[in-house]
């Protein structure tokens, strides 16, 4: 109850407390309603199925393998070393914290958290340095296999021939920007959610997926020559599907192009 003076009138401190409480309740209600709407849209969109289709599409088109074959040993070495290092140096400290809030489930939630952290680190390094050219070539190559030659020509030279990867020429426009410090700040800002048993980890993954999902079509927007306002309107309208899409390889993004036009 709010503090009151002798005449029964609420004090200034009581009014401030009530205001903060009311604002917090409104924010929680708004965020819950928005998150519920996004989750429903994500489930209905079936966008979560596209990474699965992308895997089969990638496996059935051997020409798309070329950009990754030479990088695979380096990628596996990076992923293995980062994951092993994270488990060696961070498992026990994080487990010691999570066990107080998750109880016996901390054994599993800590593993899940470390795998998520390792994946984030590997993605930062590989997408900005190791696999940047491979991702771009695979995305553009996928567009060529889907007869989007005119679209690809907006961003790079396209040679004649039947092999889509051999047709890829000099890059005129690159969609990739170096990793934004805001992304890592946002990651660590939401990291404490993992202290909430079960639900917190799910919410953490949900919030991370939203940003990652929206980033996979940067090349598509660039080749379509969409303005920042057009991109913003499209992403706002399709927040649910992009959240469901989450992070996936560039060849899987190519599969959603026809759905997005």
């Amino acid at each position: 109850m709010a503090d009151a003076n002798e005449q029964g009138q609420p004090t200034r401190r009581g009014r401030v407390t009530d205001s903060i409480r009311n604002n917090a309740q409104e924010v929680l209600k708004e965020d819950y309603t928005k998150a519920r709407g996004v989750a429903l849209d994500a489930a209905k969109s079936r966008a979560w199925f596209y990474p699965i289709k992308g895997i089969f599409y990638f496996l059935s088109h051997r020409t798309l393998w070329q950009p990754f074959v030479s990088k695979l040993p380096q990628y596996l070495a990076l992923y293995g070393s980062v994951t092993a290092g994270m488990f060696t140096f961070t498992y026990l400290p994080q487990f010691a914290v999570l066990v107080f809030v998750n109880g016996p489930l901390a054994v599993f939630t800590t593993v899940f958290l470390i795998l998520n952290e390792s994946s984030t680190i590997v993605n930062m390094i590989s997408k900005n340095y190791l696999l940047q050219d491979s991702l771009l070539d695979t995305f553009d190559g996928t567009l060529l296999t889907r007869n989007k030659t005119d679209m690809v020509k907006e961003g790079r030279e396209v040679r004649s021939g039947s092999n889509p990867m051999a047709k890829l020429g000099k890059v005129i426009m690159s969609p990739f920007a170096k990793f934004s410090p805001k992304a890592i700040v946002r990651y660590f800002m939401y990291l404490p959610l993992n202290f909430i048993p079960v639900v917190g980890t799910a919410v953490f993954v949900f919030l991370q997926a939203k940003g990652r999902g929206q980033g996979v079509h940067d090349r598509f927007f660039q080749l379509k020559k969409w303005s920042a306002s057009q991109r913003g309107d499209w992403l706002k309208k399709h927040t649910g599907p992009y959240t469901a899409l989450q992070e996936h390889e560039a060849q899987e993004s190519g599969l959603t192009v026809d759905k997005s036009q």
Side-chain angles (χ1 to χ4, degrees), residues 91-103:
Y91 180 85
L92 289 179
Q94 294 188 89
F95 174 78
V97 175
L98 290 177
V99 72
F100 287 105
V101 291
N102 290 351

Side-chain angles (χ1 to χ4, degrees), residues 26-231:
E26 290 178 5
V27 169
L28 288 173
K29 184 178 180 179
E30 290 175 3
D31 287 350
Y32 172 75
T33 302
K34 186 181 298 183
R36 184 177 61 179
V38 170
L40 290 174
D41 288 342
K44 293 178 181 179
S45 70
R46 293 177 59 85
W48 49 267
F49 188 63
Y50 277 89
I52 300 174
K53 293 181 64 176
I55 292 173
F56 287 103
Y57 189 89
F58 180 73
L59 292 177
S60 63
H61 292 74
R62 296 178 64 90
T63 55
L64 298 178
W65 300 4
Q66 297 173 14
F68 290 102
V69 171
S70 61
K71 300 291 185 179
L72 186 58
Q74 295 168 277
Y75 180 82
L76 292 177
L78 173 65
Y79 191 89
S81 59
V82 169
T83 304
M86 290 294 291
F87 272 101
T88 301
F89 297 106
T90 69
Y91 180 85
L92 289 179
Q94 294 188 89
F95 174 78
V97 175
L98 290 177
V99 72
F100 287 105
V101 291
N102 290 351
L105 290 176
V107 175
F108 305 102
T109 56
T110 304
V111 170
F112 186 83
L113 177 60
I114 291 177
L115 289 176
N116 191 288
E117 293 168 343
S118 300
S119 176
T120 299
I121 295 173
V122 171
N123 284 330
M124 283 193 296
I125 298 174
S126 63
K127 287 190 174 182
N128 284 285
Y129 303 101
L130 181 62
L131 298 180
Q132 189 175 86
D133 293 338
S134 299
L135 291 171
L136 180 59
D137 288 347
T138 305
F139 192 99
D140 290 349
T142 302
L143 290 176
L144 292 179
T145 65
R146 300 182 67 81
N147 301 317
K148 302 295 180 182
T149 302
D150 291 339
M151 182 184 292
V152 177
K153 285 182 177 179
E154 297 293 339
R156 73 189 305 161
E157 297 175 357
V158 178
R159 309 186 188 99
S160 59
S162 58
N163 186 326
M165 304 311 299
K167 292 170 65 176
L168 296 176
K170 180 181 178 181
V171 177
I172 301 173
M173 295 186 299
S174 175
F176 298 113
K178 293 300 181 183
F179 187 75
S180 170
K182 289 184 179 180
I184 193 66
V185 170
R186 184 176 292 108
Y187 177 86
F188 283 106
M189 183 176 70
Y190 291 135
L191 196 60
L193 286 171
N194 288 278
F195 295 147
I196 304 175
V198 184
V199 177
T201 301
V203 173
F204 173 77
V205 173
F206 178 82
L207 292 173
Q208 292 297 306
K210 179 181 177 181
R212 291 177 176 179
Q214 293 179 356
V216 299
H217 270 171
D218 284 344
R219 180 60 166 178
F220 170 73
F221 297 138
Q222 183 188 54
L223 297 178
K224 292 283 285 185
K225 293 185 176 180
W226 281 9
S227 65
S229 60
Q230 286 177 304
R231 299 184 187 195

